[in-house]
């Protein structure tokens, strides 16, 4: 995967992460009792955070000190 493709994928992941954050906040604000749904959304958000970190690591070259 080239750098441009990685950056596009990174933007997509970040957008999805923000959307999940908004969805979780909205569910909690409405007093939703569906804790299982909220837990699933939080788990997906953590998975996205890990993918974002992985892509960022690929974009930033390692510097040998």
């Amino acid at each position: 995967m080239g750098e441009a493709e990685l950056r596009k994928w990174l933007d997509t992941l970040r957008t999805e992460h923000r959307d999940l954050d908004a969805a979780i906040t909205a569910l909690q604000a409405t007093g939703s009792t569906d804790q299982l749904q909220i837990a699933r959304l939080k788990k997906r958000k953590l998975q996205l955070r890990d993918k974002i970190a992985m892509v960022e690591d690929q974009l930033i070259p390692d510097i040998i000190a």
Side-chain angles (χ1 to χ4, degrees):
M1 215 184 259
E3 184 176 339
E5 293 165 331
L6 284 174
R7 290 193 185 279
K8 185 175 180 181
W9 188 34
L10 183 60
D11 288 340
T12 303
L13 291 173
R14 285 180 176 160
T15 300
E16 188 175 348
H17 188 269
R18 280 192 305 271
D19 292 346
L20 279 174
D21 192 37
I24 291 167
T25 302
L27 280 174
Q28 291 173 335
T30 60
S32 176
T33 58
D34 191 0
Q35 295 300 316
L36 183 60
Q37 178 68 17
I38 292 172
R40 286 180 179 155
L41 291 174
K42 286 182 177 181
K43 183 176 180 181
R44 176 70 181 141
K45 187 178 165 190
L46 288 173
Q47 291 171 340
L48 284 171
R49 187 180 68 181
D50 290 342
K51 284 183 184 180
I52 289 168
M54 180 190 69
V55 174
E56 287 174 340
D57 286 345
Q58 289 179 1
L59 287 171
I60 300 171
D62 289 335
I63 300 173
I64 300 173

